[in-house]
């Protein structure tokens, strides 16, 4: 569970590039690193952080497979990346945005 005292702190542009890459489907760090032209070690550090923020999740077939996919919150983060830095709590903003979108449908 996310610590309520800790806000989502993304590294721009790397974290948004990772999220964009995962919008194309599930992937592993080595492939993501190659696609976004970043080091594999840096991507391996960022993916668990993005998972802590619930923007990506690790999927099977085993816990140590390193296969990740973007979450609904991650998709919203990419869609609203221009608001990152303009709001105090990006995670709260995304959740409010999601709730407003669900209620308007």
């Amino acid at each position: 569970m996310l610590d309520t005292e800790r806000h989502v702190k993304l590294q721009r542009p790397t974290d948004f590039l990772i999220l964009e890459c995962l919008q194309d489907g599930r992937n592993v760090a080595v492939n993501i690193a190659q696609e976004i032209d970043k080091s594999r070690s840096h991507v391996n550090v960022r993916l668990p952080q993005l998972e802590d923020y619930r923007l990506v999740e690790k999927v099977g077939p085993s816990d140590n497979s390193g296969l990740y996919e973007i979450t609904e919150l991650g998709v919203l983060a990419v869609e609203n990346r221009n608001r990152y830095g303009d709001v105090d709590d990006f995670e709260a903003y995304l959740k409010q945005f999601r709730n407003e979108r669900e209620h308007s449908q």
Side-chain angles (χ1 to χ4, degrees), residues 45-89:
V45 168
R46 297 310 304 157
L47 282 167
Q49 189 66 59
L50 294 173
E51 184 178 27
D52 286 347
Y53 296 149
R54 294 185 293 247
L55 301 176
V56 303
E57 68 181 348
K58 192 182 277 192
V59 294
S62 67
D63 287 340
N64 60 357
S65 69
L67 185 62
Y68 286 87
E69 70 182 3
I70 194 169
T71 64
E72 177 188 2
L73 203 59
V75 171
L76 290 176
V78 172
E79 291 174 2
N80 291 277
R81 76 177 124 209
N82 61 329
R83 298 287 297 149
Y84 184 75
D86 293 341
V87 295
D88 291 331
D89 186 343

Side-chain angles (χ1 to χ4, degrees), residues 2-10 49 53 84 87-92:
L2 191 67
D3 182 347
T4 57
E5 296 298 314
R6 185 178 72 186
H7 293 293
V8 170
K9 295 186 189 215
L10 300 176
Q49 189 66 59
Y53 296 149
Y84 184 75
V87 295
D88 291 331
D89 186 343
F90 193 57
E91 180 184 27

